[in-house]
């Protein structure tokens, strides 16, 4: 499932498209902005690829597009455009026939042409595709990423303190709120809270200064490590362990993992050392 880590892997893969000019676009008719995307993108050139949380941002320069062919879109970068790619639960990014991630956990590794929701063909024949069996990926022109919280991979202790302060919702629910911290997903939150020895059910605003510091240090250490290993499924609390349960994998802990629902999401934690 694409979390912030997977979106960063997709961003790095999409950097190969910088400098390319778009020749043609095919987009799923179920997309709310399908008409705008088809009309706006051809003729534009990719200038950079960024990311905010789970959202990949493809920046496009529009010089050379025939006047009057672009619909009324509010451009946040002057005369240029931004295409936002959100991959839902099972969307995969494929650049020039190579998948940035071979297989998503809880998704399919099939590359069925019927699942192509976006196809961008560049001058020269190179192709960017988003392939999504569940049709939950979303593509938007000029996405409003200002509503998102600070990015999880550049999170500061102050960001975390502000995001959790005075909030009575469960800690896990607050961390999953993309307006609080952008990029955290279910697997990464369970992993970080397990390492930080924090119960996901605790009120977020009840953390002590010491606990808040521990949570922040764990986040900035564990997430880059998981990114380096290939994504959100590579933690200690990995999909296989989530499915099997059993004893807590922490050496100094004699407890057993517990499965439940916190913040509307399936959650795995160890009541023995996560408090």
């Amino acid at each position: 499932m694409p979390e912030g880590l997977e979106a960063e892997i997709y961003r790095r893969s999409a950097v190969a498209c910088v400098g390319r000019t778009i020749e043609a676009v095919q987009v799923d008719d179920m997309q709310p902005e399908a008409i705008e995307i088809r009309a706006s993108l051809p003729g534009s050139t990719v200038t950079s690829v960024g990311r905010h949380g789970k959202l990949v941002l493809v920046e496009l320069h529009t010089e050379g597009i025939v006047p009057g062919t672009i619909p009324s879109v509010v451009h946040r970068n002057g005369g240029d455009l931004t295409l936002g790619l959100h991959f839902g639960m099972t969307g995969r990014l494929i650049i020039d026939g190579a998948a940035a991630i071979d297989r998503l956990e809880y998704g399919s590794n099939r590359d069925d042409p019927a699942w192509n929701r976006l196809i961008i063909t560049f001058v020269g024949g190179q192709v960017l595709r988003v392939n999504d069996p569940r049709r939950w990926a979303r593509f938007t022109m000029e996405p409003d990423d200002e509503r998102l919280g600070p990015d999880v991979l550049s999170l500061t202790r102050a960001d975390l303190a502000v995001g959790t302060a005075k909030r009575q919702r469960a800690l896990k629910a607050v961390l999953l709120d993309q307006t609080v911290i952008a990029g955290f997903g279910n697997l990464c939150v369970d992993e970080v809270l397990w390492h930080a020895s924090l119960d996901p059910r605790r009120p977020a605003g009840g953390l002590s200064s010491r606990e808040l510091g521990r949570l922040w240090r764990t986040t900035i250490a564990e997430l880059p490590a998981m990114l380096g290993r290939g994504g959100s499924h590579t933690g200690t609390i990995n999909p296989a362990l989530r499915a099997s349960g059993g004893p807590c994998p922490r050496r100094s802990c004699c407890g057993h993992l517990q499965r439940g629902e916190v913040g509307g999401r399936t959650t795995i934690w160890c009541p023995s050392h996560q408090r």
Side-chain angles (χ1 to χ4, degrees):
M1 55 179 70
E3 301 188 11
L5 300 187
E6 282 69 34
E8 174 60 16
I9 293 171
Y10 288 160
R11 183 199 68 80
R12 294 178 182 183
S13 177
V15 168
C17 298
V18 172
R20 297 179 182 180
T21 298
I22 297 174
E23 183 171 62
V25 177
Q26 300 174 56
V27 61
D28 189 346
D29 286 331
M30 296 296 290
Q31 289 289 327
E33 298 185 25
I35 294 174
E36 291 87 343
I37 290 171
R38 289 193 195 101
S40 300
L41 268 59
S44 61
T45 300
V46 179
T47 57
S48 65
V49 184
R51 180 190 57 79
H52 191 166
K54 302 177 185 181
L55 183 66
V56 172
L57 301 164
V58 182
E59 305 292 348
L60 301 158
H61 183 54
T62 60
E63 184 179 358
I65 295 180
V66 178
T69 61
I70 301 177
S72 55
V73 176
V74 177
H75 301 172
R76 68 178 191 177
N77 293 320
D80 292 346
L81 299 171
T82 301
L83 173 65
L85 305 178
H86 191 288
F87 297 88
M89 292 286 288
T90 55
R92 293 198 306 154
L93 183 68
I94 301 169
I95 306 290
D96 302 334
I101 298 174
D102 290 334
R103 183 183 185 280
L104 291 171
E105 293 297 327
Y106 313 116
S108 174
N109 61 349
R110 288 175 54 198
D111 187 9
D112 190 328
W115 297 343
N116 286 332
R117 309 304 176 191
L118 176 69
I119 303 175
I120 296 177
T121 303
F122 298 99
V123 174
Q126 308 100 321
V127 177
L128 176 154
R129 290 187 291 126
V130 177
N131 190 268
D132 180 20
R134 293 192 182 181
R135 220 173 199 164
W136 290 348
R138 285 292 175 265
F139 318 123
T140 53
M141 297 302 303
E142 308 303 321
D144 181 17
D145 62 326
E146 291 185 0
R147 64 182 178 80
L148 299 174
D151 187 78
V152 71
L153 288 177
S154 56
L155 189 69
T156 68
R157 192 183 189 283
D159 290 333
L160 187 58
V162 170
T164 56
K166 300 181 181 180
R167 295 180 185 267
Q168 295 307 305
R169 286 188 296 158
L171 177 58
K172 177 167 182 176
V174 170
L175 294 179
L176 286 175
D177 186 338
Q178 300 300 296
T179 66
V180 176
I181 300 172
F184 254 136
N186 201 40
L187 297 182
C188 286
V189 170
D190 282 357
E191 179 74 10
V192 165
L193 292 180
W194 181 81
H195 279 285
S197 300
L198 294 171
D199 190 320
R201 302 166 297 177
R202 288 183 55 180
L207 296 183
S208 68
S209 176
R210 184 174 182 178
E211 289 171 329
L212 187 74
R214 189 165 74 234
L215 176 57
W216 173 68
R217 289 191 298 274
T218 301
T219 299
I220 64 171
E222 294 300 327
L223 294 194
M226 293 167 72
L227 177 62
R229 293 195 295 266
S232 59
H233 64 290
T234 64
T236 301
I237 310 301
N238 56 46
L241 189 60
R242 297 175 73 88
S244 62
C248 176
R250 187 169 181 165
R251 291 183 181 179
S252 59
C253 182
C254 298
H256 280 70
L257 296 176
Q258 180 171 325
R259 178 191 302 271
E261 187 173 291
V262 180
R265 302 296 299 275
T266 299
T267 301
I268 307 295
W269 76 99
C270 175
S272 180
H273 83 268
Q274 288 180 249
R275 300 174 182 177

